[in-house]
Amino acid sequence: MNGIDKIKQRITQEVQGEIATLEAQAKAQASGITDHYAAQARALAEEITTRGEKAAQEREERLVSMAHMEAKKAQLAVKQELLEEAFRLALEKLCALPEGEYVALLTDLTVQAAHSGREQVLLSPRDRERVGEEVVRRANARLEDGRLTLAQETRPIRGGVILSDGAVEVNGSFETILRLERPRMAKDIAGILFPQED
């Protein structure tokens, strides 16, 4: 081997040594970069997972809260329906009282509503024919200066009385009485229908 070959060989060895060193450095850098980005990816994945779990938990809490609200609304709607039914049944029972009790009730309502004692008594068509004269007779007997008259005119009411004195009317129909008393009575009725609740 001559001098040039030795120089070539030495240069080749040095180049190969440098290449090996560069390859080792590149591998080390690549490994470091890979490790760095892998750690970043793991941190990001963990962060995304944590955010996702938190978002899922918040969504679940919102859905549970909405479900509770919907259940309460549905429960309230049922209670309102039951109260409506209670008032409807009260109206039915008032209209279906035995005749003696019914006449007494209409007489009481007429006496309470009379202001001058000279009003006209308006009833439903059915009540006018069935008990009108008796109610007016009994109410006049209870009033000091009772000169009530049974009106020829009737009203489309289920029951009760309406007293008319010219342009002034006092509405004592069962429907109106129940509507006016409802705010006061609703709490008591709810207490009876739903006793275990506060």
Side-chain angles (χ1 to χ4, degrees):
M1 197 183 281
N2 64 19
I4 292 182
D5 288 337
K6 284 184 180 181
I7 292 175
K8 280 185 188 178
Q9 186 179 15
R10 201 173 105 217
I11 291 173
T12 302
Q13 286 174 348
E14 284 178 14
V15 168
Q16 285 175 347
E18 282 184 41
I19 289 173
T21 301
L22 288 174
E23 280 180 351
Q25 287 175 349
K27 282 182 182 179
Q29 278 185 329
S31 178
I33 291 170
T34 302
D35 290 346
H36 173 73
Y37 283 109
Q40 276 189 332
R42 280 192 301 274
L44 184 59
E46 194 174 304
E47 182 183 333
I48 290 170
T49 302
T50 301
R51 276 191 309 206
E53 287 171 354
K54 185 177 178 185
Q57 182 179 0
E58 288 171 358
R59 179 166 169 73
E60 180 184 6
E61 288 169 3
R62 278 195 307 272
L63 290 173
V64 167
S65 177
M66 286 171 47
H68 283 299
M69 283 189 343
E70 288 300 318
K72 284 184 179 189
K73 281 176 21 183
Q75 188 179 33
L76 182 61
V78 168
K79 286 180 179 181
Q80 291 296 335
E81 284 180 38
L82 289 172
L83 282 173
E84 283 296 325
E85 183 65 10
F87 280 99
R88 189 191 68 72
L89 287 173
L91 178 60
E92 293 295 324
K93 288 202 176 283
L94 284 170
C95 292
L97 285 172
E99 190 168 312
E101 291 178 44
Y102 193 72
V103 169
L105 178 59
L106 292 184
T107 301
D108 288 343
L109 289 173
T110 302
V111 169
Q112 289 171 12
H115 180 68
S116 67
R118 293 182 292 279
E119 294 91 350
Q120 285 194 327
V121 179
L122 293 100
L123 301 166
S124 69
R126 177 177 173 263
D127 287 348
R128 185 185 188 290
E129 294 304 316
R130 192 170 61 109
V131 296
E133 293 291 340
E134 181 67 14
V135 169
V136 170
R137 185 186 65 71
R138 286 187 185 189
N140 278 330
R142 287 178 50 190
L143 292 169
E144 271 186 41
D145 188 23
R147 288 182 273 160
L148 299 170
T149 56
L150 181 62
Q152 291 299 315
E153 181 185 352
T154 60
R155 291 292 169 85
I157 58 176
R158 295 284 310 275
V161 297
I162 296 175
L163 269 60
S164 176
D165 190 7
V168 177
E169 285 190 354
V170 177
N171 189 337
S173 68
F174 293 157
E175 296 97 317
T176 299
I177 293 169
L178 287 172
R179 181 175 49 81
L180 293 174
E181 289 294 315
R182 183 179 178 136
R184 185 182 64 78
M185 296 171 58
K187 186 174 182 180
D188 293 336
I189 293 170
I192 294 167
L193 291 174
F194 319 111
Q196 69 274 20
E197 297 179 11
D198 294 328

mmCIF file of all heavy atoms in Angstrom, residues 122-168:
data_model
loop_
_atom_site.group_PDB
_atom_site.id
_atom_site.type_symbol
_atom_site.label_atom_id
_atom_site.label_comp_id
_atom_site.label_asym_id
_atom_site.label_seq_id
_atom_site.Cartn_x
_atom_site.Cartn_y
_atom_site.Cartn_z
ATOM 1 N N LEU A 122 -131.744 36.134 38.501
ATOM 2 C CA LEU A 122 -131.521 35.401 37.245
ATOM 3 C C LEU A 122 -130.875 34.061 37.581
ATOM 4 O O LEU A 122 -129.930 34.005 38.377
ATOM 5 C CB LEU A 122 -130.599 36.187 36.312
ATOM 6 C CG LEU A 122 -131.186 37.484 35.774
ATOM 7 C CD1 LEU A 122 -130.667 38.661 36.550
ATOM 8 C CD2 LEU A 122 -130.856 37.627 34.320
ATOM 9 N N LEU A 123 -131.379 33.018 36.966
ATOM 10 C CA LEU A 123 -130.884 31.664 37.204
ATOM 11 C C LEU A 123 -130.581 30.994 35.870
ATOM 12 O O LEU A 123 -130.874 31.551 34.810
ATOM 13 C CB LEU A 123 -131.932 30.852 37.962
ATOM 14 C CG LEU A 123 -132.373 31.398 39.327
ATOM 15 C CD1 LEU A 123 -133.636 30.709 39.802
ATOM 16 C CD2 LEU A 123 -131.268 31.215 40.343
ATOM 17 N N SER A 124 -130.054 29.795 35.936
ATOM 18 C CA SER A 124 -129.883 28.999 34.715
ATOM 19 C C SER A 124 -131.288 28.591 34.243
ATOM 20 O O SER A 124 -132.237 28.593 35.043
ATOM 21 C CB SER A 124 -129.051 27.746 35.006
ATOM 22 O OG SER A 124 -129.781 26.842 35.816
ATOM 23 N N PRO A 125 -131.465 28.276 32.962
ATOM 24 C CA PRO A 125 -132.792 27.861 32.489
ATOM 25 C C PRO A 125 -133.369 26.702 33.308
ATOM 26 O O PRO A 125 -134.548 26.716 33.673
ATOM 27 C CB PRO A 125 -132.539 27.443 31.036
ATOM 28 C CG PRO A 125 -131.321 28.198 30.623
ATOM 29 C CD PRO A 125 -130.493 28.325 31.864
ATOM 30 N N ARG A 126 -132.538 25.735 33.621
ATOM 31 C CA ARG A 126 -133.006 24.559 34.387
ATOM 32 C C ARG A 126 -133.447 24.972 35.797
ATOM 33 O O ARG A 126 -134.502 24.562 36.274
ATOM 34 C CB ARG A 126 -131.858 23.547 34.456
ATOM 35 C CG ARG A 126 -132.161 22.307 35.270
ATOM 36 C CD ARG A 126 -130.958 21.353 35.203
ATOM 37 N NE ARG A 126 -131.159 20.237 36.097
ATOM 38 C CZ ARG A 126 -130.671 20.146 37.319
ATOM 39 N NH1 ARG A 126 -129.933 21.119 37.808
ATOM 40 N NH2 ARG A 126 -130.899 19.084 38.067
ATOM 41 N N ASP A 127 -132.602 25.778 36.479
ATOM 42 C CA ASP A 127 -132.931 26.195 37.845
ATOM 43 C C ASP A 127 -134.149 27.110 37.884
ATOM 44 O O ASP A 127 -134.944 27.056 38.823
ATOM 45 C CB ASP A 127 -131.743 26.899 38.496
ATOM 46 C CG ASP A 127 -130.620 25.939 38.860
ATOM 47 O OD1 ASP A 127 -130.848 24.712 38.826
ATOM 48 O OD2 ASP A 127 -129.518 26.419 39.177
ATOM 49 N N ARG A 128 -134.313 27.954 36.869
ATOM 50 C CA ARG A 128 -135.464 28.860 36.855
ATOM 51 C C ARG A 128 -136.759 28.048 36.869
ATOM 52 O O ARG A 128 -137.671 28.328 37.637
ATOM 53 C CB ARG A 128 -135.423 29.775 35.630
ATOM 54 C CG ARG A 128 -136.551 30.798 35.668
ATOM 55 C CD ARG A 128 -136.626 31.645 34.418
ATOM 56 N NE ARG A 128 -137.593 32.709 34.616
ATOM 57 C CZ ARG A 128 -138.911 32.536 34.690
ATOM 58 N NH1 ARG A 128 -139.429 31.321 34.614
ATOM 59 N NH2 ARG A 128 -139.734 33.558 34.873
ATOM 60 N N GLU A 129 -136.822 27.048 36.021
ATOM 61 C CA GLU A 129 -138.039 26.233 35.931
ATOM 62 C C GLU A 129 -138.226 25.362 37.173
ATOM 63 O O GLU A 129 -139.331 25.196 37.662
ATOM 64 C CB GLU A 129 -137.984 25.337 34.677
ATOM 65 C CG GLU A 129 -138.013 26.099 33.371
ATOM 66 C CD GLU A 129 -139.227 27.007 33.249
ATOM 67 O OE1 GLU A 129 -140.346 26.567 33.580
ATOM 68 O OE2 GLU A 129 -139.048 28.174 32.850
ATOM 69 N N ARG A 130 -137.151 24.809 37.652
ATOM 70 C CA ARG A 130 -137.233 23.813 38.718
ATOM 71 C C ARG A 130 -137.402 24.436 40.109
ATOM 72 O O ARG A 130 -138.244 23.970 40.885
ATOM 73 C CB ARG A 130 -135.934 22.975 38.672
ATOM 74 C CG ARG A 130 -135.931 21.724 39.499
ATOM 75 C CD ARG A 130 -134.710 20.864 39.183
ATOM 76 N NE ARG A 130 -133.465 21.549 39.475
ATOM 77 C CZ ARG A 130 -132.640 21.247 40.475
ATOM 78 N NH1 ARG A 130 -132.920 20.235 41.264
ATOM 79 N NH2 ARG A 130 -131.551 21.927 40.685
ATOM 80 N N VAL A 131 -136.611 25.473 40.446
ATOM 81 C CA VAL A 131 -136.617 25.975 41.827
ATOM 82 C C VAL A 131 -136.699 27.492 41.934
ATOM 83 O O VAL A 131 -136.658 28.033 43.043
ATOM 84 C CB VAL A 131 -135.345 25.486 42.573
ATOM 85 C CG1 VAL A 131 -135.309 23.976 42.710
ATOM 86 C CG2 VAL A 131 -134.078 26.005 41.914
ATOM 87 N N GLY A 132 -136.818 28.200 40.824
ATOM 88 C CA GLY A 132 -136.760 29.653 40.820
ATOM 89 C C GLY A 132 -137.745 30.327 41.762
ATOM 90 O O GLY A 132 -137.366 31.185 42.572
ATOM 91 N N GLU A 133 -139.034 29.969 41.657
ATOM 92 C CA GLU A 133 -140.071 30.604 42.489
ATOM 93 C C GLU A 133 -139.805 30.354 43.973
ATOM 94 O O GLU A 133 -139.956 31.271 44.788
ATOM 95 C CB GLU A 133 -141.465 30.065 42.105
ATOM 96 C CG GLU A 133 -141.931 30.461 40.711
ATOM 97 C CD GLU A 133 -142.228 31.952 40.586
ATOM 98 O OE1 GLU A 133 -142.456 32.629 41.619
ATOM 99 O OE2 GLU A 133 -142.217 32.453 39.448
ATOM 100 N N GLU A 134 -139.406 29.144 44.311
ATOM 101 C CA GLU A 134 -139.156 28.793 45.715
ATOM 102 C C GLU A 134 -137.982 29.589 46.282
ATOM 103 O O GLU A 134 -138.035 30.076 47.414
ATOM 104 C CB GLU A 134 -138.886 27.282 45.834
ATOM 105 C CG GLU A 134 -138.638 26.784 47.233
ATOM 106 C CD GLU A 134 -139.871 26.867 48.135
ATOM 107 O OE1 GLU A 134 -141.000 27.053 47.639
ATOM 108 O OE2 GLU A 134 -139.678 26.757 49.365
ATOM 109 N N VAL A 135 -136.909 29.738 45.503
ATOM 110 C CA VAL A 135 -135.733 30.496 45.961
ATOM 111 C C VAL A 135 -136.122 31.942 46.223
ATOM 112 O O VAL A 135 -135.785 32.518 47.272
ATOM 113 C CB VAL A 135 -134.588 30.412 44.922
ATOM 114 C CG1 VAL A 135 -133.468 31.401 45.254
ATOM 115 C CG2 VAL A 135 -134.032 28.993 44.854
ATOM 116 N N VAL A 136 -136.859 32.568 45.292
ATOM 117 C CA VAL A 136 -137.256 33.971 45.453
ATOM 118 C C VAL A 136 -138.181 34.118 46.662
ATOM 119 O O VAL A 136 -138.028 35.050 47.469
ATOM 120 C CB VAL A 136 -137.913 34.506 44.157
ATOM 121 C CG1 VAL A 136 -138.549 35.872 44.383
ATOM 122 C CG2 VAL A 136 -136.877 34.571 43.035
ATOM 123 N N ARG A 137 -139.139 33.198 46.822
ATOM 124 C CA ARG A 137 -140.071 33.264 47.948
ATOM 125 C C ARG A 137 -139.314 33.180 49.274
ATOM 126 O O ARG A 137 -139.511 33.990 50.180
ATOM 127 C CB ARG A 137 -141.106 32.126 47.850
ATOM 128 C CG ARG A 137 -142.193 32.182 48.929
ATOM 129 C CD ARG A 137 -143.113 30.964 48.881
ATOM 130 N NE ARG A 137 -142.422 29.714 49.195
ATOM 131 C CZ ARG A 137 -141.984 29.368 50.397
ATOM 132 N NH1 ARG A 137 -142.117 30.163 51.416
ATOM 133 N NH2 ARG A 137 -141.394 28.197 50.584
ATOM 134 N N ARG A 138 -138.393 32.222 49.397
ATOM 135 C CA ARG A 138 -137.635 32.054 50.643
ATOM 136 C C ARG A 138 -136.706 33.245 50.900
ATOM 137 O O ARG A 138 -136.570 33.686 52.044
ATOM 138 C CB ARG A 138 -136.797 30.770 50.589
ATOM 139 C CG ARG A 138 -137.621 29.515 50.748
ATOM 140 C CD ARG A 138 -136.684 28.334 50.855
ATOM 141 N NE ARG A 138 -137.391 27.070 50.905
ATOM 142 C CZ ARG A 138 -136.807 25.910 51.173
ATOM 143 N NH1 ARG A 138 -135.515 25.851 51.407
ATOM 144 N NH2 ARG A 138 -137.511 24.806 51.199
ATOM 145 N N ALA A 139 -136.061 33.750 49.857
ATOM 146 C CA ALA A 139 -135.153 34.891 50.034
ATOM 147 C C ALA A 139 -135.936 36.120 50.484
ATOM 148 O O ALA A 139 -135.507 36.839 51.394
ATOM 149 C CB ALA A 139 -134.405 35.171 48.736
ATOM 150 N N ASN A 140 -137.099 36.382 49.870
ATOM 151 C CA ASN A 140 -137.928 37.529 50.276
ATOM 152 C C ASN A 140 -138.361 37.399 51.733
ATOM 153 O O ASN A 140 -138.419 38.391 52.461
ATOM 154 C CB ASN A 140 -139.147 37.674 49.360
ATOM 155 C CG ASN A 140 -138.807 38.400 48.063
ATOM 156 O OD1 ASN A 140 -137.907 39.244 48.036
ATOM 157 N ND2 ASN A 140 -139.498 38.051 46.992
ATOM 158 N N ALA A 141 -138.666 36.181 52.167
ATOM 159 C CA ALA A 141 -139.098 35.964 53.553
ATOM 160 C C ALA A 141 -137.963 36.268 54.528
ATOM 161 O O ALA A 141 -138.220 36.684 55.665
ATOM 162 C CB ALA A 141 -139.580 34.517 53.734
ATOM 163 N N ARG A 142 -136.724 36.093 54.120
ATOM 164 C CA ARG A 142 -135.578 36.341 55.005
ATOM 165 C C ARG A 142 -135.101 37.789 54.976
ATOM 166 O O ARG A 142 -134.395 38.218 55.883
ATOM 167 C CB ARG A 142 -134.426 35.414 54.626
ATOM 168 C CG ARG A 142 -134.722 33.979 55.070
ATOM 169 C CD ARG A 142 -133.653 32.993 54.681
ATOM 170 N NE ARG A 142 -132.301 33.400 55.032
ATOM 171 C CZ ARG A 142 -131.209 32.759 54.600
ATOM 172 N NH1 ARG A 142 -131.338 31.698 53.812
ATOM 173 N NH2 ARG A 142 -130.015 33.170 54.943
ATOM 174 N N LEU A 143 -135.433 38.526 53.932
ATOM 175 C CA LEU A 143 -135.004 39.929 53.835
ATOM 176 C C LEU A 143 -136.011 40.821 54.547
ATOM 177 O O LEU A 143 -137.210 40.546 54.550
ATOM 178 C CB LEU A 143 -134.891 40.349 52.364
ATOM 179 C CG LEU A 143 -133.761 39.677 51.568
ATOM 180 C CD1 LEU A 143 -133.918 39.961 50.079
ATOM 181 C CD2 LEU A 143 -132.398 40.159 52.057
ATOM 182 N N GLU A 144 -135.540 41.928 55.119
ATOM 183 C CA GLU A 144 -136.434 42.863 55.813
ATOM 184 C C GLU A 144 -137.480 43.435 54.875
ATOM 185 O O GLU A 144 -138.657 43.455 55.180
ATOM 186 C CB GLU A 144 -135.614 44.008 56.427
ATOM 187 C CG GLU A 144 -135.142 43.718 57.820
ATOM 188 C CD GLU A 144 -134.470 44.935 58.425
ATOM 189 O OE1 GLU A 144 -134.958 46.065 58.245
ATOM 190 O OE2 GLU A 144 -133.446 44.721 59.097
ATOM 191 N N ASP A 145 -137.010 43.956 53.773
ATOM 192 C CA ASP A 145 -137.917 44.572 52.806
ATOM 193 C C ASP A 145 -137.776 43.816 51.493
ATOM 194 O O ASP A 145 -137.436 44.391 50.461
ATOM 195 C CB ASP A 145 -137.554 46.052 52.650
ATOM 196 C CG ASP A 145 -138.568 46.805 51.805
ATOM 197 O OD1 ASP A 145 -139.716 46.346 51.699
ATOM 198 O OD2 ASP A 145 -138.193 47.859 51.240
ATOM 199 N N GLY A 146 -138.027 42.509 51.528
ATOM 200 C CA GLY A 146 -137.790 41.661 50.367
ATOM 201 C C GLY A 146 -138.841 41.786 49.282
ATOM 202 O O GLY A 146 -139.984 41.387 49.462
ATOM 203 N N ARG A 147 -138.438 42.357 48.165
ATOM 204 C CA ARG A 147 -139.309 42.435 46.986
ATOM 205 C C ARG A 147 -138.554 41.964 45.747
ATOM 206 O O ARG A 147 -138.647 42.571 44.686
ATOM 207 C CB ARG A 147 -139.808 43.874 46.808
ATOM 208 C CG ARG A 147 -140.827 44.253 47.878
ATOM 209 C CD ARG A 147 -141.362 45.629 47.688
ATOM 210 N NE ARG A 147 -140.439 46.554 48.371
ATOM 211 C CZ ARG A 147 -140.361 47.829 48.113
ATOM 212 N NH1 ARG A 147 -141.100 48.384 47.200
ATOM 213 N NH2 ARG A 147 -139.507 48.594 48.761
ATOM 214 N N LEU A 148 -137.792 40.914 45.944
ATOM 215 C CA LEU A 148 -137.067 40.318 44.815
ATOM 216 C C LEU A 148 -138.074 39.727 43.840
ATOM 217 O O LEU A 148 -139.156 39.275 44.233
ATOM 218 C CB LEU A 148 -136.132 39.209 45.295
ATOM 219 C CG LEU A 148 -135.031 39.597 46.279
ATOM 220 C CD1 LEU A 148 -134.352 38.358 46.835
ATOM 221 C CD2 LEU A 148 -134.011 40.495 45.607
ATOM 222 N N THR A 149 -137.698 39.721 42.544
ATOM 223 C CA THR A 149 -138.561 39.100 41.537
ATOM 224 C C THR A 149 -137.734 38.116 40.721
ATOM 225 O O THR A 149 -136.532 38.307 40.543
ATOM 226 C CB THR A 149 -139.172 40.160 40.590
ATOM 227 O OG1 THR A 149 -138.110 40.909 39.990
ATOM 228 C CG2 THR A 149 -140.120 41.083 41.336
ATOM 229 N N LEU A 150 -138.399 37.094 40.238
ATOM 230 C CA LEU A 150 -137.749 36.112 39.380
ATOM 231 C C LEU A 150 -137.755 36.655 37.957
ATOM 232 O O LEU A 150 -138.819 36.919 37.389
ATOM 233 C CB LEU A 150 -138.483 34.764 39.444
ATOM 234 C CG LEU A 150 -137.882 33.635 38.606
ATOM 235 C CD1 LEU A 150 -136.462 33.314 39.075
ATOM 236 C CD2 LEU A 150 -138.760 32.396 38.695
ATOM 237 N N ALA A 151 -136.587 36.859 37.386
ATOM 238 C CA ALA A 151 -136.474 37.404 36.029
ATOM 239 C C ALA A 151 -136.943 36.376 35.008
ATOM 240 O O ALA A 151 -136.777 35.169 35.204
ATOM 241 C CB ALA A 151 -135.032 37.803 35.760
ATOM 242 N N GLN A 152 -137.540 36.872 33.927
ATOM 243 C CA GLN A 152 -137.910 35.988 32.816
ATOM 244 C C GLN A 152 -136.646 35.517 32.097
ATOM 245 O O GLN A 152 -136.587 34.402 31.592
ATOM 246 C CB GLN A 152 -138.829 36.738 31.823
ATOM 247 C CG GLN A 152 -140.210 37.034 32.371
ATOM 248 C CD GLN A 152 -140.955 35.747 32.711
ATOM 249 O OE1 GLN A 152 -140.956 34.785 31.936
ATOM 250 N NE2 GLN A 152 -141.579 35.714 33.879
ATOM 251 N N GLU A 153 -135.662 36.404 32.091
ATOM 252 C CA GLU A 153 -134.396 36.115 31.431
ATOM 253 C C GLU A 153 -133.616 35.075 32.240
ATOM 254 O O GLU A 153 -133.712 35.032 33.462
ATOM 255 C CB GLU A 153 -133.609 37.430 31.369
ATOM 256 C CG GLU A 153 -132.273 37.349 30.706
ATOM 257 C CD GLU A 153 -131.519 38.670 30.799
ATOM 258 O OE1 GLU A 153 -132.083 39.690 31.236
ATOM 259 O OE2 GLU A 153 -130.338 38.658 30.448
ATOM 260 N N THR A 154 -132.870 34.243 31.545
ATOM 261 C CA THR A 154 -131.987 33.272 32.209
ATOM 262 C C THR A 154 -130.554 33.532 31.758
ATOM 263 O O THR A 154 -130.321 34.309 30.830
ATOM 264 C CB THR A 154 -132.377 31.821 31.852
ATOM 265 O OG1 THR A 154 -132.272 31.644 30.438
ATOM 266 C CG2 THR A 154 -133.780 31.489 32.343
ATOM 267 N N ARG A 155 -129.621 32.873 32.398
ATOM 268 C CA ARG A 155 -128.207 33.021 32.039
ATOM 269 C C ARG A 155 -127.597 31.634 31.810
ATOM 270 O O ARG A 155 -128.014 30.666 32.432
ATOM 271 C CB ARG A 155 -127.429 33.732 33.145
ATOM 272 C CG ARG A 155 -127.789 35.185 33.304
ATOM 273 C CD ARG A 155 -127.323 35.977 32.076
ATOM 274 N NE ARG A 155 -127.848 37.317 32.041
ATOM 275 C CZ ARG A 155 -127.318 38.354 32.653
ATOM 276 N NH1 ARG A 155 -126.222 38.216 33.359
ATOM 277 N NH2 ARG A 155 -127.873 39.538 32.542
ATOM 278 N N PRO A 156 -126.587 31.565 30.953
ATOM 279 C CA PRO A 156 -125.935 30.275 30.667
ATOM 280 C C PRO A 156 -124.919 29.911 31.757
ATOM 281 O O PRO A 156 -123.717 29.873 31.528
ATOM 282 C CB PRO A 156 -125.245 30.517 29.318
ATOM 283 C CG PRO A 156 -124.928 31.969 29.328
ATOM 284 C CD PRO A 156 -126.051 32.630 30.088
ATOM 285 N N ILE A 157 -125.426 29.672 32.954
ATOM 286 C CA ILE A 157 -124.567 29.281 34.077
ATOM 287 C C ILE A 157 -124.958 27.872 34.491
ATOM 288 O O ILE A 157 -126.063 27.417 34.214
ATOM 289 C CB ILE A 157 -124.686 30.268 35.267
ATOM 290 C CG1 ILE A 157 -126.136 30.359 35.761
ATOM 291 C CG2 ILE A 157 -124.141 31.626 34.881
ATOM 292 C CD1 ILE A 157 -126.340 31.237 36.985
ATOM 293 N N ARG A 158 -124.031 27.183 35.159
ATOM 294 C CA ARG A 158 -124.325 25.827 35.625
ATOM 295 C C ARG A 158 -125.227 25.855 36.846
ATOM 296 O O ARG A 158 -126.094 25.004 37.016
ATOM 297 C CB ARG A 158 -123.027 25.100 35.980
ATOM 298 C CG ARG A 158 -122.090 24.835 34.841
ATOM 299 C CD ARG A 158 -122.529 23.686 33.950
ATOM 300 N NE ARG A 158 -122.861 22.492 34.685
ATOM 301 C CZ ARG A 158 -121.997 21.568 35.079
ATOM 302 N NH1 ARG A 158 -120.723 21.706 34.800
ATOM 303 N NH2 ARG A 158 -122.385 20.512 35.756
ATOM 304 N N GLY A 159 -124.995 26.813 37.737
ATOM 305 C CA GLY A 159 -125.782 26.930 38.953
ATOM 306 C C GLY A 159 -125.437 28.214 39.656
ATOM 307 O O GLY A 159 -124.561 28.960 39.235
ATOM 308 N N GLY A 160 -126.165 28.511 40.739
ATOM 309 C CA GLY A 160 -125.948 29.750 41.452
ATOM 310 C C GLY A 160 -126.968 30.790 41.009
ATOM 311 O O GLY A 160 -127.944 30.465 40.318
ATOM 312 N N VAL A 161 -126.740 32.029 41.418
ATOM 313 C CA VAL A 161 -127.692 33.099 41.100
ATOM 314 C C VAL A 161 -126.946 34.329 40.605
ATOM 315 O O VAL A 161 -125.769 34.519 40.908
ATOM 316 C CB VAL A 161 -128.542 33.504 42.333
ATOM 317 C CG1 VAL A 161 -129.393 32.357 42.817
ATOM 318 C CG2 VAL A 161 -127.670 34.044 43.449
ATOM 319 N N ILE A 162 -127.645 35.155 39.861
ATOM 320 C CA ILE A 162 -127.160 36.475 39.472
ATOM 321 C C ILE A 162 -128.274 37.446 39.827
ATOM 322 O O ILE A 162 -129.435 37.237 39.444
ATOM 323 C CB ILE A 162 -126.831 36.539 37.971
ATOM 324 C CG1 ILE A 162 -125.685 35.581 37.644
ATOM 325 C CG2 ILE A 162 -126.476 37.971 37.564
ATOM 326 C CD1 ILE A 162 -125.345 35.460 36.178
ATOM 327 N N LEU A 163 -127.944 38.489 40.586
ATOM 328 C CA LEU A 163 -128.930 39.507 40.943
ATOM 329 C C LEU A 163 -128.685 40.740 40.092
ATOM 330 O O LEU A 163 -127.548 41.196 39.977
ATOM 331 C CB LEU A 163 -128.830 39.870 42.433
ATOM 332 C CG LEU A 163 -129.733 39.044 43.358
ATOM 333 C CD1 LEU A 163 -129.420 37.588 43.288
ATOM 334 C CD2 LEU A 163 -129.694 39.566 44.758
ATOM 335 N N SER A 164 -129.762 41.250 39.510
ATOM 336 C CA SER A 164 -129.659 42.412 38.634
ATOM 337 C C SER A 164 -130.517 43.544 39.179
ATOM 338 O O SER A 164 -131.693 43.346 39.498
ATOM 339 C CB SER A 164 -130.125 42.025 37.219
ATOM 340 O OG SER A 164 -130.123 43.153 36.381
ATOM 341 N N ASP A 165 -129.896 44.719 39.277
ATOM 342 C CA ASP A 165 -130.615 45.917 39.709
ATOM 343 C C ASP A 165 -130.270 47.002 38.692
ATOM 344 O O ASP A 165 -129.342 47.791 38.897
ATOM 345 C CB ASP A 165 -130.184 46.322 41.118
ATOM 346 C CG ASP A 165 -131.065 47.420 41.705
ATOM 347 O OD1 ASP A 165 -132.082 47.776 41.083
ATOM 348 O OD2 ASP A 165 -130.712 47.904 42.796
ATOM 349 N N GLY A 166 -130.976 46.987 37.564
ATOM 350 C CA GLY A 166 -130.679 47.921 36.481
ATOM 351 C C GLY A 166 -129.357 47.542 35.835
ATOM 352 O O GLY A 166 -129.188 46.431 35.352
ATOM 353 N N ALA A 167 -128.410 48.480 35.843
ATOM 354 C CA ALA A 167 -127.116 48.243 35.203
ATOM 355 C C ALA A 167 -126.151 47.499 36.113
ATOM 356 O O ALA A 167 -125.071 47.110 35.682
ATOM 357 C CB ALA A 167 -126.502 49.580 34.790
ATOM 358 N N VAL A 168 -126.514 47.311 37.372
ATOM 359 C CA VAL A 168 -125.623 46.664 38.336
ATOM 360 C C VAL A 168 -126.017 45.198 38.494
ATOM 361 O O VAL A 168 -127.188 44.889 38.730
ATOM 362 C CB VAL A 168 -125.677 47.368 39.706
ATOM 363 C CG1 VAL A 168 -124.802 46.653 40.716
ATOM 364 C CG2 VAL A 168 -125.274 48.820 39.569
#
